[in-house]
Amino acid sequence: MKLVAGNWKMHDRGADLASAIRAQLGAPGVEVLLCPAFPYLREVGEAVAGSGIALGAQDLHWEPRGAFTGAVSARMLLDVGCTHVIVGHSERRLLFGDTDAAVAAKVKAAMAVGLIPILCVGETLEERDAGFAQRRIRSQVAAAYQPGCVVAYEPVWAIGTGRAASPEHAREAARTVRDAAGADVRVLYGGSVNAANCAPFFEAADGALVGGASLDAAAFAAIVAAAEVAG
Ligand code: 13P
């Protein structure tokens, strides 16, 4: 079954948007996951309770507890109802210095409590232009993947730019992820996915990780509907 995940990033949306999405979706025929900022997790979980829509966080710390000001543990995410957590998003890697080693530790910490990590990988524009895209994807998967992770392929140059990868590029990346992680891995595509361009990505991959378009209930519902058509 396809998985459509909304990454709300640092936008202050909570139960309002979750309720609007729930109303638009009815009973979704694919897996749907909403990932609000930490302070809104609980209210979003309450707004989607009983709908089949799942709750995910955008990051976590690898330690279970301790003097880590500002950080949130895997157990805390479970406590507020999360089933998933995004790990290694390129914004974390590039803006907050998350290394491959940190990402690997976060994946382990999430899995240790039964959270499903959505491990994000993807090349920068410079890496793509230098012909290193597939190598970069392989190295990020090799560094952090554990069986049971979902992998989201998100080329950095396609995130928030309005320039999505071609479906062929996404398909090749998904193949590279499967070569590195195993044939069973679920691979999502992310990067400027919207209601108009999403359908081919549901042929190229097992779902989508949606940023900007997930903040609009009607647009997100249209993306979910396209995933349902793809099966
Ligand atoms: P956009 O859909 O806004 O390009 O963001 C993609 C993303 O980073 C999802 O994690």
Side-chain angles (χ1 to χ4, degrees):
M1 197 192 289
K2 304 292 183 201
L3 169 62
V4 182
N7 176 7
W8 295 358
K9 306 193 180 183
M10 201 176 75
H11 295 286
D12 49 352
R13 304 299 301 273
D16 58 332
L17 180 57
S19 300
I21 288 172
R22 179 179 188 162
Q24 292 263 345
L25 292 188
V30 296
E31 279 183 60
V32 176
L33 173 67
L34 302 182
C35 303
F38 291 134
Y40 304 107
L41 281 167
R42 195 183 288 276
E43 69 177 51
V44 167
E46 286 166 2
V48 300
S51 67
I53 298 173
L55 184 68
Q58 299 173 17
D59 189 32
L60 79 166
H61 196 274
W62 56 84
E63 291 290 346
R65 70 187 63 76
F68 301 102
T69 301
V72 168
S73 75
R75 173 65 56 184
M76 293 171 190
L77 299 181
L78 268 192
D79 284 347
V80 293
C82 291
T83 51
H84 295 68
V85 57
I86 298 170
V87 180
H89 191 282
S90 64
E91 287 151 15
R92 297 292 327 169
R93 294 178 189 262
L94 296 171
L95 303 176
F96 299 95
D98 282 18
T99 61
D100 274 341
V103 173
K106 290 179 177 192
V107 164
K108 280 202 188 116
M111 299 202 76
V113 302
L115 288 169
I116 299 172
I118 301 194
L119 168 64
C120 298
V121 303
E123 79 284 1
T124 63
L125 189 61
E126 294 70 34
E127 288 165 343
R128 183 195 74 175
D129 290 348
F132 289 156
Q134 307 310 314
R135 190 182 306 178
R136 186 75 188 111
I137 295 165
R138 265 195 300 275
S139 74
Q140 288 176 328
V141 170
Y145 177 80
Q146 304 271 337
C149 285
V150 174
V151 176
Y153 168 63
E154 298 205 307
V156 176
W157 44 270
I159 294 176
T161 60
R163 292 189 306 123
S166 68
E168 295 69 35
H169 186 91
R171 191 185 303 276
E172 186 183 1
R175 217 173 9 244
T176 299
V177 171
R178 291 200 183 90
D179 284 348
D184 294 342
V185 63
R186 290 174 98 184
V187 186
L188 312 182
Y189 169 76
S192 296
V193 173
N194 59 41
N197 70 8
C198 63
F201 294 118
F202 293 120
E203 305 298 333
D206 303 312
L209 181 53
V210 185
S214 73
L215 298 169
D216 177 323
F220 190 65
I223 293 168
V224 171
E228 286 168 342
V229 168

